[in-house]
Amino acid sequence: MAQQKKLNVLIAERNPLVISALRDMISRDERFTFVEGVQSGDAFIKAVAAVEPAFDVAIVAWKLSDMDASEVLTELQRRQLTARMVIFSNDHDIGILKQCVRLGVQGFCYQFDDPCILFDTLLAVANGRICIPYIDVAKINETPLSRLTTRELELLGVLADGWTNLQIATRTGISENTVKYHLKNLYDKLGVRNRAMAVALYASERKRGPQPNPR
């Protein structure tokens, strides 16, 4: 029986200690060979763009030294480059998984998963299959902002622009108490406690890309 070819694995991770730990795990598994470790998204994109990429499959951390994995995926799409890759996230935020799936990632693992899950995912992706944690595909485009009405999105937008309650009341012709009432409802819908958290969430979701049409 012919010996199966080892898969060459590239690791993109901002923390050199994590690269070292993953390299050690990979070296202990006869199915894989570690070929390179990079810390930035730019370096990973250059590795993908090489005439003959040195790797078969890549482990890409959600946070790199210069960008996150969503920006890497977006840039690869813009350049019409493809790579078989597994996103390796230390954040259990389901929004990150949804975003990666929307951007076409083939594999996704959490850093706290058992190593065998990572290895199985690498094998699946290297062989052209999709391997991600369970997610309700009917809700793949659902984000915190997609649940807001047009008026609520407008209100969140002016909060992000730095408007005070008085300015909102003056511009819209309602009382400050009414503004506070609408803001409380808005915070409840977003699952946040205050203005700063709402604005931070708004900025984060806007960075992730176009939002579904509000109701």
Side-chain angles (χ1 to χ4, degrees), residues 73 77 94-105 132 135 139-144 205 208-212:
L73 290 164
Q77 287 182 353
I94 190 67
I96 291 175
L97 174 57
K98 286 181 178 180
Q99 185 180 8
C100 288
V101 172
R102 288 197 297 269
L103 289 169
V105 77
I132 60 173
I135 185 171
K139 297 181 179 179
I140 199 67
N141 288 318
E142 185 179 280
T143 70
E205 291 297 324
R208 288 180 178 183
Q211 302 297 323

Side-chain angles (χ1 to χ4, degrees), residues 104-119:
V105 77
Q106 306 101 325
F108 190 101
C109 278
Y110 294 107
Q111 289 188 11
F112 42 80
D113 285 337
D114 191 280
C116 68
I117 294 177
L118 173 60
F119 291 156

Side-chain angles (χ1 to χ4, degrees), residues 183-201:
L183 288 177
K184 181 182 182 305
N185 289 339
L186 178 64
Y187 299 158
D188 288 344
K189 261 193 176 183
L190 293 175
V192 300
R193 295 190 301 274
N194 54 45
R195 178 185 301 248
M197 292 176 69
V199 170
L201 178 61

Side-chain angles (χ1 to χ4, degrees), residues 38-203:
V38 299
Q39 293 177 261
S40 69
D42 183 63
F44 174 68
I45 292 167
K46 287 179 180 176
V48 175
V51 176
E52 293 185 10
F55 65 95
D56 299 305
V57 63
I59 300 170
V60 180
W62 171 248
K63 287 288 188 182
L64 299 172
S65 63
D66 56 349
M67 62 182 81
D68 64 35
S70 70
E71 293 169 305
V72 171
L73 290 164
T74 300
E75 183 62 14
L76 289 177
Q77 287 182 353
R78 188 186 72 81
R79 299 193 191 187
Q80 297 184 320
L81 296 171
T82 59
R84 292 183 176 179
M85 55 194 288
V86 175
I87 302 303
F88 196 49
S89 176
N90 64 354
D91 192 327
H92 207 285
D93 179 3
I94 190 67
I96 291 175
L97 174 57
K98 286 181 178 180
Q99 185 180 8
C100 288
V101 172
R102 288 197 297 269
L103 289 169
V105 77
Q106 306 101 325
F108 190 101
C109 278
Y110 294 107
Q111 289 188 11
F112 42 80
D113 285 337
D114 191 280
C116 68
I117 294 177
L118 173 60
F119 291 156
D120 287 346
T121 303
L122 285 171
L123 282 174
V125 170
N127 285 291
R129 296 194 297 274
I130 294 174
C131 188
I132 60 173
Y134 171 78
I135 185 171
D136 186 346
V137 294
K139 297 181 179 179
I140 199 67
N141 288 318
E142 185 179 280
T143 70
L145 301 192
S146 70
R147 298 191 291 269
L148 302 182
T149 64
T150 301
R151 182 57 61 86
E152 288 167 337
L153 277 174
E154 291 172 353
L155 178 57
L156 188 53
V158 297
L159 286 184
D161 288 338
W163 287 27
T164 65
N165 289 359
L166 178 59
Q167 287 175 313
I168 296 171
T170 302
R171 300 288 180 88
T172 57
I174 59 178
S175 70
E176 280 194 74
N177 283 337
T178 303
V179 171
K180 291 177 183 178
Y181 170 78
H182 287 311
L183 288 177
K184 181 182 182 305
N185 289 339
L186 178 64
Y187 299 158
D188 288 344
K189 261 193 176 183
L190 293 175
V192 300
R193 295 190 301 274
N194 54 45
R195 178 185 301 248
M197 292 176 69
V199 170
L201 178 61
Y202 178 74

Side-chain angles (χ1 to χ4, degrees), residues 11 15-28 88 119:
I11 300 170
N15 187 336
L17 293 178
V18 176
I19 293 179
S20 179
L22 287 171
R23 178 178 185 170
D24 183 61
M25 284 197 307
I26 288 170
S27 69
R28 296 170 187 271
F88 196 49
F119 291 156

Side-chain angles (χ1 to χ4, degrees), residues 6-20:
K6 288 188 174 185
L7 294 171
N8 293 325
V9 180
L10 179 148
I11 300 170
E13 159 64 55
R14 64 179 175 176
N15 187 336
L17 293 178
V18 176
I19 293 179
S20 179

